């Protein structure tokens, strides 16, 4: 069960990183970010991508902390 959660969070992490990189690419490599719809798109991609990335490091830390307490 725990392994499946970590795997799902890992997929969400990579998807979030892809969304964040897409937002950065749109911002720097096109003029679309100068329009209102482009600003909304870039901000949405970056925001949702960062939110999707955030649980994975916390889950890895909690998994590490749980393994440290069971080793003793």
């Amino acid at each position: 069960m725990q392994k499946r959660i970590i795997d799902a969070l890992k997929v969400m992490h990579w998807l979030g990183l892809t969304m964040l990189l897409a937002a950065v690419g749109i911002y720097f490599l096109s003029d679309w970010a100068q329009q209102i719809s482009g600003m909304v798109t870039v901000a949405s991609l970056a925001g949702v991508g960062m939110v999707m990335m955030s649980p994975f490091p916390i889950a890895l830390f909690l998994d590490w902390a749980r393994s440290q307490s069971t080793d003793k």
Side-chain angles (χ1 to χ4, degrees):
M1 176 72 177
Q2 184 177 354
K3 176 74 171 145
R4 288 192 322 203
I5 293 171
I6 296 290
D7 288 342
L9 288 174
K10 189 182 297 186
V11 169
M12 284 179 52
H13 182 81
W14 285 108
L15 185 60
L17 183 64
T18 303
M19 291 173 72
L20 182 61
L21 291 175
V24 170
I26 290 171
Y27 181 76
F28 283 117
L29 300 176
S30 73
D31 292 333
W32 192 40
Q34 301 300 319
Q35 301 168 3
I36 296 294
S37 61
M39 289 179 198
V40 170
T41 302
V42 168
S44 298
L45 280 171
V48 172
M50 286 187 277
V51 166
M52 289 177 71
M53 288 173 56
S54 62
F56 183 62
I58 297 167
L60 284 181
F61 173 76
L62 293 175
D63 189 40
W64 173 79
R66 187 176 300 126
S67 70
Q68 293 296 316
S69 67
T70 58
D71 286 344
K72 293 182 179 180

